[in-house]
Amino acid sequence: MSYDSTEHEQEIKDRAIALNGTAVVVRLIGGQDVTGTLTYATVAKYGGTAYPSVLTVTAASKATTVRIDHVSAIAQG
């Protein structure tokens, strides 16, 4: 069984869309967690939808921008 990073990234993007605006824990590939309110939204473009390559987690007025390819999981909470 091979690992498909493109498929994994799309799963993370779909999960980010579903949890946009809620409290989350974002697990990074290195094992660190980023906790806060998730901001992630698609952008309409001609012929489809654009998925940004970063998401933002905000906690205590501090925003942390994380690249999608650095995320291993997103959980509500």
Side-chain angles (χ1 to χ4, degrees), residues 16-62:
I17 291 166
L19 294 174
N20 183 45
T22 64
V24 297
V25 177
V26 176
R27 171 66 50 102
L28 305 179
I29 290 175
Q32 301 100 334
D33 291 336
V34 180
T35 303
T37 301
L38 176 67
T39 304
Y40 185 82
T42 59
V43 179
K45 69 174 187 173
Y46 180 77
T49 303
Y51 291 84
S53 60
V54 297
L55 55 82
T56 304
V57 179
T58 304
S61 300
K62 180 183 176 196

